[in-house]
Amino acid sequence: MTDPPDPSVLPDPSRAAVRHRSWAEARWRQFRNPPAPIFRAVVANVAVAIVGLIALLAYDVALARGSGLPGGDLRTLAFGIFVALVLVAGSLATYLWVPLPSGASGLRRRSPWSGMLGFFTAIPVAYLALVIGFQVIRPLLE
């Protein structure tokens, strides 16, 4: 003989079934509600990239207008310095701004994970900053 099922483990008929989201709908929801560490990593790297891009664009415009800057045309070096600046400073800013979850202890700790999150966020941010800066903004400055 079997016992009748326990009513506490049966599904509640008054609750609606969970609706399955499509792939696009799930990605849109993730885009609108990013996890705090990811959002902070992107913001830190974008801030560093904007500052570096302003300096890089100012240097490029100064060279294009023929101002006699010391050292000649060092745009390739300037691009390399820009990318390195975004990678290093963005990683450092993310490391300082994105602590690990506190858990039950309430202590805020940092780990290499935060720095790596910033590094891997900095790579596409640096690329997008260069594309937007030199394909969109730079032609407007001529």
Side-chain angles (χ1 to χ4, degrees), residues 15-129:
R15 277 184 41 162
V18 176
R19 184 176 64 85
H20 178 73
R21 292 187 173 94
S22 69
W23 178 88
E25 198 174 7
R27 298 298 85 75
W28 178 248
R29 187 169 193 271
Q30 287 174 344
F31 175 74
R32 288 183 301 137
N33 304 308
I38 304 300
F39 179 76
R40 289 177 179 179
V42 171
V43 168
N45 283 292
V46 166
V48 170
I50 287 172
V51 170
L53 185 64
I54 290 170
L56 191 58
L57 283 171
Y59 179 71
D60 189 56
V61 168
L63 283 176
R65 293 191 177 158
S67 64
L69 294 174
D73 187 357
L74 300 173
R75 279 182 252 210
T76 304
L77 179 63
F79 279 100
I81 290 171
F82 168 78
V83 172
L85 172 81
V86 173
L87 291 176
V88 172
S91 298
L92 181 63
T94 304
Y95 175 78
L96 295 174
W97 195 24
V98 181
L100 286 172
S102 62
S105 67
L107 295 173
R108 292 284 185 184
R109 298 178 306 264
R110 289 176 181 30
S111 75
W113 175 86
S114 297
M116 290 306 293
L117 175 65
F119 180 80
F120 288 122
T121 305
I123 295 169
V125 166
Y127 175 76
L128 288 173

